[in-house]
Structure formats: structure tokens, C-alpha cells
């Protein structure tokens, strides 16, 4: 994804309250390998249920960010689960149900949408993690494109007003 500044990120959120934006911690941007990220996702160390997700929207040429909230209580341990973004099969304890308010008035009225995502919001790391012989570059490229498309579909849904 395109490299973003702190201001870009703070200005990108479509469904955050002013209070959330003011207290939002940012990840270490200077350490971020932007070429290997479909989106930037991070959890809030001060508010364990909150997470943030920002991607670059190529069509609109703008960053789009959403606040997500982890459902309390994880899934039952010992079963397999799948992240809806990266489609990586994972132990259920590493996938969480997150809900996110819709943008605008709908969200302020309590209208949310939910989906299962890797608990650490680090799908970009996960799709690159396997050794190269098991995860050749063409496969990473395909998973990368699919991941970005799913994230974009989700944020488009968050922003849909009707
Ligand atoms: Zn994932």
C-alpha cells in the first residue's frame, strides 16, 4: 500500500468519534514495510477491545480507515476458524468477531456490521509468513490481491449509506 503519514491516518477514519481519534495510538510507522502491507491494522494497547484498520483506496486516491471493536469472549478453543479477510485457516483463538459502526448517522444510531478477522489484524504478515517453497511469490501476489479486495469490499460496506 502507499506509505501514509500520521496526519493521513488520523484524517482517514470514516466511522470514528472525535474522542476515539484523539486517543488513538499509532503504530510505529517508520518500521512499517509499506510494500508488504495491504492494510495497516493494529490493536489499542490501552483499550483492548478496540482496533484500527487503514487501507489505501486506489480508485478514490485516498486512505480509508475504520475503527473495529472485538466481541468479548473468543471462539471455542480447539476448533479451526478462518479470517474473512486473508482466508487463512487458524486456531479459533486467533480469530475474533469484530464489529464496526457504519459511517455517518447509521453508525451513530448503533448500526454495526461484523466479521471474523485475525485477532492481531496482521493479515498482511500472515499471508507472507510461510516459507517460500510453500508460499511462492505468485501465490503471495494472488493472496495479496484477494486480501485487499476483501478489505475494500468491507470498508465500502461500512461507508454505504442506503
Ligand atoms: Zn486475516
Amino acid at each position: 500500500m502507499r506509505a501514509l503519514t500520521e496526519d493521513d491516518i488520523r484524517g482517514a477514519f470514516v466511522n470514528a468519534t472525535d474522542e476515539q481519534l484523539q486517543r488513538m495510538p499509532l503504530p510505529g510507522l517508520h518500521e512499517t514495510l509499506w510494500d508488504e502491507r495491504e492494510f495497516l491494522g493494529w490493536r489499542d494497547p490501552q483499550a483492548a477491545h478496540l482496533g484500527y484498520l487503514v487501507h489505501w483506496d486506489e480508485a478514490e486516491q485516498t486512505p480509508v480507515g475504520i475503527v473495529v471493536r472485538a466481541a468479548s469472549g473468543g471462539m471455542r478453543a480447539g476448533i479451526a476458524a478462518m479470517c474473512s479477510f486473508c482466508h487463512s485457516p487458524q486456531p479459533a483463538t486467533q480469530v475474533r468477531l469484530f464489529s464496526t459502526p457504519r459511517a455517518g448517522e447509521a453508525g451513530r444510531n448503533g448500526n454495526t456490521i461484523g466479521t471474523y478477522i485475525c485477532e492481531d489484524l496482521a493479515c498482511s504478515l500472515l499471508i507472507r509468513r510461510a516459507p517460500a517453497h510453500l508460499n511462492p511469490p505468485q501465490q503471495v501476489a494472488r493472496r495479496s490481491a484477494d486480501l485487499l479486495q476483501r478489505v475494500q469490499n468491507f470498508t465500502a460496506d461500512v461507508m454505504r449509506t442506503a
Side-chain angles (χ1 to χ4, degrees), residues 9-44:
I9 292 173
R10 288 195 189 279
F13 281 80
V14 298
N15 69 347
T17 63
D18 290 344
E19 190 193 339
Q20 281 171 336
L21 286 179
Q22 276 160 21
R23 59 164 309 283
M24 177 175 71
L26 288 170
L29 298 180
H30 54 285
E31 302 153 11
T32 300
L33 301 172
W34 297 99
D35 290 345
E36 298 185 4
R37 294 288 178 282
E38 288 69 33
F39 67 92
L40 199 60
W42 69 104
R43 296 292 296 271
D44 192 328

Side-chain angles (χ1 to χ4, degrees), residues 39-109:
F39 67 92
L40 199 60
W42 69 104
R43 296 292 296 271
D44 192 328
Q46 307 300 328
H49 56 285
L50 287 180
Y52 312 93
L53 194 157
V54 178
H55 70 84
W56 178 257
D57 187 325
E58 201 60 53
E60 301 290 332
Q61 289 290 299
T62 183
V64 176
I66 57 172
V67 178
V68 296
R69 182 179 288 266
S72 53
M75 276 192 276
R76 195 156 50 86
I79 59 169
M82 194 174 75
C83 168
S84 69
F85 286 172
C86 63
H87 282 194
S88 301
Q90 297 236 66
T93 49
Q94 287 167 36
V95 177
R96 272 281 186 144
L97 176 62
F98 286 89
S99 70
T100 187
R102 287 191 186 273
E105 199 183 337
R108 288 192 291 276
N109 290 335

